[in-house]
Amino acid sequence: MKPPGRINLPGLVTLLAVLLLWEGFSRGSASLQLYFPPVSRILVSLYELMFFRELLGHLLATLGRFAAGYLLAAVLAVFLGIVLGYSRLAYSFSEALIEFLRPMPSVAIIPVAILFLGIADAMMVAVTVYACAWPVLINTIDGVRNIDRTLLHTGRTFGLGRWQALRKIVLPGASPYIVTGLRISLAIALILVTTSEMVVGGSGLGYFILDEERSLQTSNMYAGIFLVALLGYGANRLFVLVEGRVIAWHRRMTAGETV
Amino acid sequence: MHLLEVEALSKSYRQIGGESTLAIGEISFQVEKGEFVSLVGPSGCGKTTLLMCIAGLIPASSGMVKVNGAGISGPPKNLVLVFQEYNRSLFAWRSVLGNVLFGLEVRGKLSREAEDRARHLIGLVGLEGFERHYPWELSGGMQQRVAIARALAYGPEVLLMDEPFGSVDALTRLELEDTLLKLWQELKTTILFVTHDIEEAIYLSDRICLLSRRPSRVVRGIEIRLERPRNQLTTRADRRFVELRNDIYRQISDQAVK
Ligand SMILES: Nc1ncnc2c1ncn2[C@@H]1O[C@H](COP(=O)(O)OP(=O)(O)OP(=O)(O)O)[C@@H](O)[C@H]1O
Ligand SMILES: [Mg+2]
């Protein structure tokens, strides 16, 4: 894996080439421009929408749902995952339910959520929490169960109680797994938020993108898409930054093994 | 009163099929305060099982363990086990210093003095300069020293050690044996040491408990009256050392024939 924080020059070149190619194609054919407006025009739209129209509001709406859903799911799923990973009994009672619900595409519960929660923010957050919880839950359970018995024994021989063991051994020991789950959920959160915004309407980037498409404002539509992409990218960068602090030992350990 | 007493302890493991294997037949022995006692027995005879029972990590099937006269029902406070799989018992997310401080931290004794003590012990086991390294950056022998330093930093009255030098090379092993004896004398800890190396047991111990094959019993207790401090060259060349070794070998091979 590349060290985080360093700029990947070849990757940047490819990205620029694709954008330039897009620009060139679009400018070359007037008939294409409705579907593929030139990148430069999209960027201008993005700028105008952000600063002179309502796009910033949509961005903030999406950001709020995204953060609320994701963080809630993280706390909930890590907690549940530790309980289910720790207690064989709790796990055996919930295993069948987990195996049944997990493969279901989470967007399928959007209608159910609308039925119960209407089309308020609560519904979109609830759907996001539901979808994001799975990868974190499954990975946390795995992480807790994979903790070496010898480590737990070591804790006990030094007089560690159950709660202390949780904090000093189980959590740090499972943290590489938990982080993997959290990383997967990050992308899922954005998918669920924008999808439910498209279904519900009213506000948010998902709604904006669909709305602009319906009124054939394709350049605005692409501006919205660019913004979601940027949001996802930014969230991921932030994640990697935090991850680097929390489990630096693990990255260095696994990096050391491959050398 | 003995510091540590094992009374008619037996342990059987339940197999997956439902039947059970008797790992420890019936074992009784005592350890006095300040003593260095070794348990010697063939591989698979239940030495690790015995130490886990004494450390209160797994329950015995029958019999009991007493520390300072009181029967135990969980891990005793003043007793620490150094595991046979030392590489699996170190915390990968803690540095050497962090690992050695672990026991003190659990006791809530994290202070300037605690850290000084940890650093002192890290020095004594020969790891000075590696305080900030992580366990996976160290060799097997170095990891084992971290585990030993961690146990000693905790300041237990009784230290249980499960084949601590089983997977280090011969030279490092001699070095670690001497380090351990030095620490034992300096800290006045009581040590119960498991090994299947007869010479190592003689070299280190005041007394050896010879265990039989599974289901194990104590075949014999042997007092080792060699002077201390011991020396890898002169002690091992001593006539009494050689006699003891031959005697114990003979006893073990007699058993194997039976
Ligand atoms: N968790 C377990 N479940 C079932 N049987 C076990 C378990 N641990 C050990 N045994 C059995 O108990 C017996 C004693 O094992 P133990 O690990 O105590 O031996 P040991 O004397 O420490 O061996 P070694 O010198 O190789 O470390 C073995 O026959 C082993 O198969
Ligand atoms: Mg063993």
Side-chain angles (χ1 to χ4, degrees):
Chain A
M1 219 166 59
K2 81 183 174 69
R6 183 125 31 99
I7 288 171
N8 170 359
L9 205 57
L12 210 59
V13 168
T14 311
L15 186 64
L16 276 179
V18 169
L19 291 179
L20 278 177
L21 221 68
W22 179 339
E23 179 84 16
F25 258 111
S26 176
R27 290 207 176 277
S29 136
S31 62
L32 260 181
Q33 286 201 5
L34 178 62
Y35 303 100
F36 278 119
V39 176
S40 53
R41 196 187 305 156
I42 296 172
L43 292 178
V44 171
S45 301
L46 184 57
Y47 172 79
E48 287 174 356
L49 288 167
M50 267 307 252
F51 295 105
F52 304 108
R53 279 181 53 202
E54 71 291 355
L55 189 57
L56 183 62
H58 290 304
L59 172 65
L60 291 179
T62 299
L63 195 61
R65 291 164 190 151
F66 172 65
Y70 179 70
L71 294 178
L72 223 64
V75 172
L76 208 74
V78 168
F79 175 78
L80 259 181
I82 286 175
V83 171
L84 294 183
Y86 226 34
S87 154
R88 199 161 277 279
L89 189 71
Y91 184 75
S92 58
F93 269 103
S94 49
E95 189 182 7
L97 187 65
I98 290 175
E99 289 311 314
F100 175 71
L101 287 178
R102 189 163 65 117
M104 184 183 70
S106 299
V107 287
I109 72 150
I110 291 181
V112 183
I114 293 177
L115 199 62
F116 281 96
L117 298 168
I119 55 170
D121 276 344
M123 169 261 155
M124 295 185 252
V125 172
V127 171
T128 309
V129 169
Y130 174 83
C132 290
W134 290 111
V136 182
L137 182 72
I138 302 299
N139 278 283
T140 305
I141 293 175
D142 257 13
V144 172
R145 299 186 129 208
N146 269 305
I147 287 173
D148 203 310
R149 290 191 66 78
T150 310
L151 283 185
L152 295 171
H153 278 149
T154 302
R156 289 185 59 206
T157 196
F158 283 104
L160 215 64
R162 262 179 98 81
W163 276 108
Q164 275 179 308
L166 201 65
R167 203 159 53 83
K168 288 190 186 289
I169 299 178
V170 176
L171 257 184
S175 61
Y177 287 81
I178 296 175
V179 165
T180 301
L182 286 172
R183 187 210 295 277
I184 299 169
S185 288
L186 199 61
I188 293 179
L190 206 50
I191 295 174
L192 265 291
V193 171
T194 46
T195 308
S196 46
E197 283 168 352
M198 285 181 181
V199 175
V200 168
S203 68
L205 292 177
Y207 160 73
F208 176 84
I209 292 167
L210 196 65
D211 199 43
E212 297 299 312
E213 187 269 335
R214 283 180 177 150
S215 40
L216 286 182
Q217 301 293 321
T218 45
S219 147
N220 289 355
M221 176 192 81
Y222 279 111
I225 294 173
F226 275 25
L227 200 56
V228 184
L230 277 174
L231 180 57
Y233 177 78
N236 207 47
R237 284 308 287 251
L238 191 67
F239 185 89
V240 170
L241 215 71
V242 175
E243 176 191 15
R245 303 209 159 223
V246 177
I247 56 163
W249 63 271
H250 187 254
R251 206 195 5 254
R252 279 175 51 215
M253 182 169 87
T254 45
E257 273 170 10
T258 56
V259 172
Chain B
M1 192 172 60
H2 311 286
L3 177 55
L4 177 70
E5 279 173 88
V6 176
E7 285 182 8
L9 188 143
S10 79
K11 172 75 187 175
S12 51
Y13 284 110
R14 224 194 324 263
Q15 295 306 75
I16 297 185
E19 346 149 31
S20 53
T21 19
L22 191 59
I24 301 177
E26 191 184 290
I27 287 187
S28 301
F29 64 92
Q30 296 87 33
V31 179
E32 310 303 331
K33 189 163 177 52
E35 248 191 328
F36 195 126
V37 176
S38 287
L39 295 168
V40 176
S43 185
C45 80
K47 303 182 295 296
T48 297
T49 303
L50 178 59
L51 287 194
M52 297 278 269
C53 289
I54 296 174
L57 296 173
I58 55 175
S61 302
S62 68
M64 71 187 309
V65 177
K66 287 184 186 170
V67 178
N68 284 320
I72 66 162
S73 60
K77 263 201 189 61
N78 44 4
L79 180 151
V80 164
L81 170 59
V82 175
F83 293 84
Q84 188 168 10
E85 305 100 341
Y86 53 86
N87 52 341
R88 284 168 48 195
S89 89
L90 295 177
F91 302 111
W93 55 89
R94 284 169 174 258
S95 64
V96 168
L97 184 63
N99 267 283
V100 174
L101 279 170
F102 180 77
L104 297 160
E105 201 179 301
V106 172
R107 283 193 168 174
K109 285 192 183 162
L110 217 49
S111 60
R112 189 75 235 165
E113 293 85 71
E115 193 175 323
D116 288 345
R117 181 182 168 80
R119 285 182 187 281
H120 176 63
L121 275 160
I122 290 171
L124 283 179
V125 298
L127 285 178
E128 203 175 337
F130 288 94
E131 290 86 353
R132 305 185 70 91
H133 282 62
Y134 282 82
W136 32 271
E137 295 174 315
L138 306 177
S139 72
M142 291 160 92
Q143 290 176 9
Q144 181 60 292
R145 289 180 229 202
V146 176
I148 293 171
R150 179 175 64 183
L152 288 169
Y154 186 66
E157 237 182 306
V158 185
L159 183 61
L160 310 178
M161 304 183 86
D162 194 356
E163 292 187 42
F165 309 143
S167 45
V168 298
D169 66 274
L171 270 178
T172 311
R173 188 170 187 143
L174 298 185
E175 211 180 289
L176 285 175
E177 286 169 5
D178 286 331
T179 307
L180 182 62
L181 283 183
K182 205 175 72 192
L183 290 170
W184 169 66
Q185 264 152 352
E186 189 178 310
L187 303 171
K188 311 231 178 305
T189 316
T190 305
I191 296 183
L192 182 59
F193 187 95
V194 160
T195 177
H196 43 216
D197 181 334
I198 294 164
E199 297 196 14
E200 180 171 79
I202 301 172
Y203 181 71
L204 294 172
S205 314
D206 295 321
R207 194 151 55 83
I208 294 177
C209 289
L210 200 58
L211 301 179
S212 70
R213 289 178 184 284
R214 192 170 63 86
S216 48
R217 293 168 299 103
V218 177
V219 180
R220 203 177 134 197
I222 304 151
E223 299 281 337
I224 311 293
R225 295 182 212 284
L226 299 166
E227 298 74 25
R228 296 187 187 268
R230 293 183 184 165
N231 176 291
Q232 294 286 4
L233 292 177
T234 55
T235 303
R236 282 178 193 263
D238 193 301
R239 194 178 41 79
R240 290 168 299 163
F241 185 97
V242 178
E243 270 170 14
L244 276 166
R245 189 195 62 196
N246 294 347
D247 186 27
I248 295 172
Y249 267 125
R250 213 170 295 125
Q251 178 128 28
I252 289 177
S253 42
D254 276 1
Q255 251 187 57
V257 172
K258 273 180 207 161

